[in-house]
């Protein structure tokens, strides 16, 4: 197991010094808080756009009930597919669709991908904690 130490260089790049035989430092840009927030907003907008037709049709009393239910089910199915795509991208590439648009990536302290468990579980755990905190307020 290699020891890691991270620091910022003169240009604001994160330098990770590895204590291994190669000894090559890893350089990475730290994503700005605004970029991370905007990537989350883009993901939320994409999910909203996928769900919106079904929700509107389901709540609109002028739409025939079976059509509304069908649109609602299609919206739910499309949302599930979008969720699976984002989970797959997050575990394989370290990016959701919003993160990909913003050009940022989720990486571990060593600069490598974090893998499925850390990427998905930690994001779900953190977001669940935020919702619980918001509900508590």
């Amino acid at each position: 197991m290699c020891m890691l130490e991270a620091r910022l260089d003169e240009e604001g790049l994160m330098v990770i010094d590895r204590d291994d035989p190669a000894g090559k430092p890893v350089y990475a840009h730290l994503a700005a808080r605004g970029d991370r927030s905007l990537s989350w907003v883009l993901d939320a907008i994409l999910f909203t756009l996928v769900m919106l037709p079904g929700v509107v049709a389901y709540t609109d009393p002028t739409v025939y009930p079976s059509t509304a239910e069908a649109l609602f089910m299609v919206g739910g199915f499309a949302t599930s597919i979008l969720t699976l795509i984002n989970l797959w991208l997050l575990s394989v590439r370290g990016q959701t669709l919003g993160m990909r648009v913003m050009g940022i990536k989720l990486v571990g302290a060593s600069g490598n991908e974090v893998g499925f468990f850390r990427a998905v579980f930690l994001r779900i755990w953190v977001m669940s904690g935020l919702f619980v905190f918001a509900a508590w307020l």
Side-chain angles (χ1 to χ4, degrees), residues 1-132:
M1 185 151 147
C2 61
M3 298 296 293
L4 301 172
E5 181 181 322
R7 59 182 165 79
L8 295 178
D9 69 358
E10 305 84 35
E11 299 174 6
L13 294 176
M14 182 174 64
V15 180
I16 300 170
D17 297 318
R18 297 184 193 185
D19 187 21
D20 63 356
K24 296 180 182 177
V26 175
Y27 292 92
H29 285 283
L30 295 175
R33 185 172 291 150
D35 291 340
R36 290 180 285 176
S37 298
L38 189 55
S39 73
W40 185 87
V41 168
L42 290 173
D43 283 332
I45 289 171
L46 187 57
F47 275 99
T48 302
L49 289 175
V50 168
M51 292 186 318
L52 194 61
V55 171
V56 169
Y58 196 73
T59 58
D60 186 1
T62 62
V63 177
Y64 192 68
S66 62
T67 304
E69 289 173 4
L71 285 173
F72 191 73
M73 288 174 41
V74 167
F77 181 73
T79 302
S80 299
I81 296 297
L82 182 59
T83 301
L84 291 175
I85 289 170
N86 266 341
L87 290 176
W88 178 77
L89 285 172
L90 193 59
S91 63
V92 172
R93 295 187 179 158
Q95 297 174 308
T96 61
L97 293 172
M99 292 170 80
R100 193 170 172 115
V101 168
M102 292 305 300
I104 61 176
K105 185 176 184 178
L106 182 65
V107 294
S110 63
N112 298 328
E113 284 81 17
V114 294
F116 179 80
F117 180 76
R118 282 196 66 187
V120 174
F121 177 74
L122 289 178
R123 289 179 78 76
I124 291 172
W125 182 70
V126 168
M127 291 308 293
S128 298
L130 288 175
F131 285 123
V132 168

